Amino acid sequence: MKEDHSFITGRLKSFRYAFIGAYKLITTEHSIMTQFSIGILLTIAGFYFGISKTEWLFQTMSIGLVLSIEGLNTAVEKIADFIHPDFHEKIGFIKDIGAGAVFFAAIAALAIGLIIYVPIITAM
């Protein structure tokens, strides 16, 4: 069977796999479900409060960063569980580091959200 090496076909296949992966994350991982829901609520809030273009950029990047880092953390955890299903101190350490990365992204996103929305809400 001849393999298709077309640029367009390859990009479409890559997009398809990325979409499937995003769908799996959103429908199977509770932390992603929570963060995705918060992202939707913040998007609605952005439209409601009429945030500026710059605020939209920061908010969108923050949501994307948290979801991306959480997705990578989930992948690391799945690989670690596959390699060593039983509890192991080193695997736990690796998982903790991944969770720490998500924590940093979430704290940065929280700070950005507070910078955007606290002045809007307190001015009401």
Side-chain angles (χ1 to χ4, degrees):
M1 176 177 234
K2 186 178 176 185
E3 225 178 289
D4 184 8
H5 294 287
S6 164
F7 177 78
I8 299 295
T9 305
R11 298 305 57 83
L12 289 173
K13 285 180 182 176
S14 294
F15 180 77
R16 180 176 171 265
Y17 294 134
F19 183 80
I20 290 168
Y23 179 78
K24 286 179 181 178
L25 275 169
I26 291 169
T27 58
T28 63
E29 297 300 318
H30 293 286
S31 56
I32 290 282
M33 289 177 199
T34 301
Q35 293 159 349
F36 186 74
S37 298
I38 291 169
I40 289 172
L41 291 173
L42 285 170
T43 301
I44 292 167
F47 284 115
Y48 180 79
F49 291 116
I51 63 176
S52 72
K53 186 177 186 179
T54 303
E55 290 167 333
W56 272 115
L57 291 171
F58 279 103
Q59 178 171 294
T60 304
M61 282 297 297
S62 296
I63 293 167
L65 177 69
V66 171
L67 292 173
S68 298
I69 300 293
E70 184 64 57
L72 291 172
N73 181 51
T74 299
V76 168
E77 287 181 352
K78 299 288 184 190
I79 290 169
D81 290 343
F82 179 77
I83 292 171
H84 203 290
D86 298 327
F87 176 79
H88 191 279
E89 188 175 323
K90 289 184 180 181
I91 295 291
F93 183 79
I94 292 166
K95 288 181 173 186
D96 289 346
I97 290 172
V102 175
F103 177 76
F104 287 138
I107 292 298
L110 177 64
I112 289 168
L114 291 173
I115 290 167
I116 293 171
Y117 290 106
V118 166
I120 293 171
I121 293 170
T122 57
M124 294 176 86

